[in-house]
């Protein structure tokens, strides 16, 4: 089990659950960070007593500094600098990356340089720069343990089975609009899109789950985490969200990980691995299940998934453009400045217009990310 963690994005959905898991297991916190939610951060400071905190937002950072004056808690700078300082703090042995979006990239790299275990929730980091991130992790020896439920499942299924993998079976519920046509999804509102049938999550990933872009991002995440080729991964629609994913081994054996849909479990496993311990999660009652269903995705009705899988095959800067354009488009959709179907339209247009680099450096990836965001903003204005 890890001893002392840094939680980047402690006030979000994964962050809040990480704080609770740490409190229950007696894991200490070196640092917590937020974007703007100072109220909740102050509550969390009372619970985990970190020595360092930061807020990304400038005004929030000033308020935080005023709140903590004289308490001995160090308040780091706003922006990326505060995240990077937190991620590299001496004394912590693990960084939970629970921020949403590509803002997690540089802090994750900083944590890898400092040889921390990465409990990785922030999938956008691997999508945009998985090759660079995994290479540096191999070189420094930093452990990357997935928090995303599917990847935690695959990680658990593969434990002790190096070299035996034939195929990854990546499951996804299909989201709230499973089976809907483009005509039917045209009027979908942010309120409808963030209401996931099985999981309670942050706004961005909830929209991604509705469009199934999330499964596409996870497809790319799985390629990097498990050194898999696109042809080694099959996406399966599994509406019940009980089988969190499975692996097929060389002899045809299939091993799956099952459980209730509760992110506290994969968060806890990333912190206790390679051990396991008691959890507070509900138990799975197999006799209460009415059935488990697995369907091939209808790619015509899931264009974001198809687009992401195409980017996975193209590699280079394509996944970075996909992820950044999607982030920008989803933010505009949540702000009611873009229709639901236009999320796909924006991302596809960005991919069609931004120069492709096959073997990008980190700088090329960051430039592609910036260009994709600018493209989406200009298209809308
Ligand atoms: P949330 O939106 O709920 O939380 C994001 C956290 O990051 C909050 O603490 C937020 O602060 C902070 N934050 C937001 N923007 C910035 C920024 N620009 N700079 C610094 N910090 C920022 O997200 P989730 O917890 O849902 O998701 C986090 C990550 O985990 C995502 O990458 C997601 O894909 C992944 N994930 C999430 C799952 C889930 O169940 N939620 C499941 C699997 C993966 P503030 O509170 O002020 O907004
Ligand atoms: Mg997931």
């Amino acid at each position: 089990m890890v001893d002392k963690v840094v939680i980047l994005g402690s006030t979000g959905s994964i962050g809040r659950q990480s704080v609770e898991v740490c409190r229950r297991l007696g894991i200490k916190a070196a640092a917590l960070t937020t974007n703007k939610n100072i109220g909740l951060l102050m509550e969390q400071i009372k619970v985990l007593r970190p020595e360092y905190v930061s807020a990304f937002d400038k005004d929030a950072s000033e308020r935080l500094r005023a709140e903590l004056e004289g308490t001995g808690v160090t308040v780091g700078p706003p922006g990326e600098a505060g995240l990077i300082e937190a991620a590299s703090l001496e004394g912590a042995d693990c960084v939970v990356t629970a921020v949403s979006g590509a803002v997690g990239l540089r802090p994750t790299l900083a944590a890898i340089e400092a040889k921390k275990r990465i409990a990785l929730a922030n999938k956008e980091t691997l999508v945009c720069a998985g090759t660079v991130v995994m290479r540096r992790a191999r070189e420094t020896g930093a452990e990357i343990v997935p928090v995303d439920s599917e990847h935690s499942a695959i990680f658990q299924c593969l434990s002790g089975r190096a070299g035996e993998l034939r195929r990854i079976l990546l499951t996804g519920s299909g989201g709230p609009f499973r089976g809907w046509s483009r005509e039917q999804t045209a009027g979908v509102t942010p309120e409808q899109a963030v209401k996931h049938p099985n999981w309670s999550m942050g706004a961005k990933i909830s929209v991604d789950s509705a469009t199934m872009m999330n499964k596409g991002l996870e497809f790319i995440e799985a390629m990097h985490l498990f050194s898999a080729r696109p042809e080694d991964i099959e996406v399966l629609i599994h509406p019940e969200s009980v089988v969190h994913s499975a692996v097929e081994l060389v002899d045809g054996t299939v091993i799956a990980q099952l459980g209730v849909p509760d992110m506290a479990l994969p968060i806890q496993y990333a912190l206790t691995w390679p051990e396991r311990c008691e959890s507070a999660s509900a138990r799975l009652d197999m006799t209460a299940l009415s059935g488990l269903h697995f369907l091939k995705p209808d790619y015509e009705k899931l264009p974001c998934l198809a687009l992401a899988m195409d980017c996975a095959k193209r590699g280079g800067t394509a996944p970075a453009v996909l992820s950044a354009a999607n982030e920008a488009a989803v933010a505009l959709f949540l702000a009611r400045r873009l229709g639901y179907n236009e999320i796909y339209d924006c991302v596809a247009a960005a991919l069609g217009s931004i120069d492709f680099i096959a073997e990008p450096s980190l700088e090329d990836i960051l430039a592609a990310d910036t260009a994709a965001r600018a493209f989406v903003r200009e298209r809308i204005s």
Side-chain angles (χ1 to χ4, degrees):
M1 180 163 7
V2 300
D3 175 52
K4 200 170 193 183
V5 297
V6 168
I7 306 174
L8 304 179
S10 65
T11 53
S13 164
I14 293 289
R16 290 192 303 269
Q17 295 177 80
S18 302
V19 168
E20 177 52 23
V21 168
C22 288
R23 187 199 60 76
R24 208 170 36 74
L25 297 182
I27 296 171
K28 301 184 282 279
L32 303 176
T33 82
T34 185
N35 181 24
K36 294 185 177 173
N37 195 343
I38 302 305
L40 179 56
L41 186 67
M42 291 300 293
E43 293 298 314
Q44 295 180 333
I45 291 170
K46 286 187 209 142
V47 176
L48 289 184
R49 307 207 159 277
E51 53 253 40
Y52 182 103
V53 293
S54 73
F56 189 91
D57 180 80
K58 231 171 160 210
D59 294 340
S61 177
E62 273 167 31
R63 274 189 289 132
L64 184 62
R65 201 172 290 279
E67 291 264 10
L68 289 171
E69 176 115 45
T71 60
V73 180
T74 304
V75 179
E80 198 179 49
L83 289 168
I84 291 176
E85 273 186 19
S88 6
L89 276 189
E90 249 179 67
D93 53 356
C94 174
V95 176
V96 183
T97 62
V99 292
S100 176
V103 69
L105 174 57
R106 282 194 190 276
T108 303
L109 283 170
I112 289 173
E113 295 307 324
K115 300 189 178 55
K116 313 289 188 202
R117 172 182 302 183
I118 314 294
L120 187 130
N122 177 239
K123 65 191 84 183
E124 293 89 349
T125 281
L126 280 192
V127 172
C128 73
T131 307
V132 178
V133 169
M134 295 308 289
R135 191 197 315 126
R136 277 313 284 158
R138 273 191 303 276
E139 286 164 359
T140 61
E143 295 160 343
I144 299 191
V145 187
V147 166
D148 212 347
S149 57
E150 296 78 0
H151 304 76
S152 175
I154 297 161
F155 186 82
Q156 294 179 55
C157 294
L158 284 177
S159 171
R161 303 201 166 85
E164 295 178 6
L165 177 68
R166 162 79 50 83
R167 230 157 41 105
I168 289 171
L169 304 169
L170 182 69
T171 56
S173 72
F177 314 124
R178 184 164 51 89
W180 289 29
S181 66
R182 188 171 162 96
E183 290 69 43
Q184 287 171 300
T185 53
V188 164
T189 63
E191 287 76 16
Q192 289 172 303
V194 299
K195 249 180 119 186
H196 194 278
N198 303 343
W199 298 93
S200 155
M201 306 177 286
K204 192 256 176 186
I205 185 177
S206 296
V207 175
D208 287 349
S209 297
T211 62
M212 290 279 284
M213 178 63 89
N214 182 54
K215 208 49 56 185
L217 300 177
E218 291 183 351
F219 188 98
I220 301 169
E221 184 186 11
M223 285 174 60
H224 291 296
L225 283 170
F226 306 111
S227 304
R229 300 167 303 173
E231 56 270 35
D232 301 330
I233 306 174
E234 182 173 353
V235 175
L236 293 174
I237 304 296
H238 169 47
E240 292 86 6
S241 295
V242 169
V243 171
H244 297 313
S245 275
V247 297
E248 182 187 311
L249 304 179
V250 282
D251 61 357
T253 295
V254 173
I255 299 186
Q257 190 256 345
L258 284 68
V260 293
D262 178 356
M263 287 308 295
L265 271 175
I267 292 169
Q268 167 167 321
Y269 189 68
L271 300 179
T272 64
W273 173 81
E275 286 116 41
R276 274 181 205 275
C277 62
E278 283 284 327
S279 82
S281 295
R283 302 292 147 136
L284 180 65
D285 177 1
M286 290 226 202
T287 63
L289 298 173
S290 54
L292 296 176
H293 299 86
F294 302 92
L295 311 153
K296 284 193 186 293
D298 176 348
Y299 291 104
E300 297 251 317
K301 287 186 177 151
L302 300 168
C304 286
L305 174 59
L307 192 62
M309 287 170 68
D310 184 52
C311 287
K313 288 177 195 132
R314 289 178 68 197
T317 43
V321 171
L322 171 94
S323 183
N326 177 62
E327 236 187 86
V330 169
L332 288 166
F333 167 69
L334 287 169
R336 294 175 208 284
R337 293 181 52 205
L338 195 72
Y340 180 82
N341 288 340
E342 288 171 277
I343 296 173
Y344 165 81
D345 299 340
C346 276
V347 179
L351 280 162
S353 95
I354 290 161
D355 288 343
F356 174 75
I357 303 174
E359 304 269 338
S361 64
L362 186 58
E363 284 63 39
D364 295 331
I365 288 167
L366 293 169
D369 176 289
T370 306
R373 287 167 206 270
F375 176 89
V376 172
R377 273 195 302 272
E378 269 163 40
R379 188 179 148 102
I380 298 315
S381 63

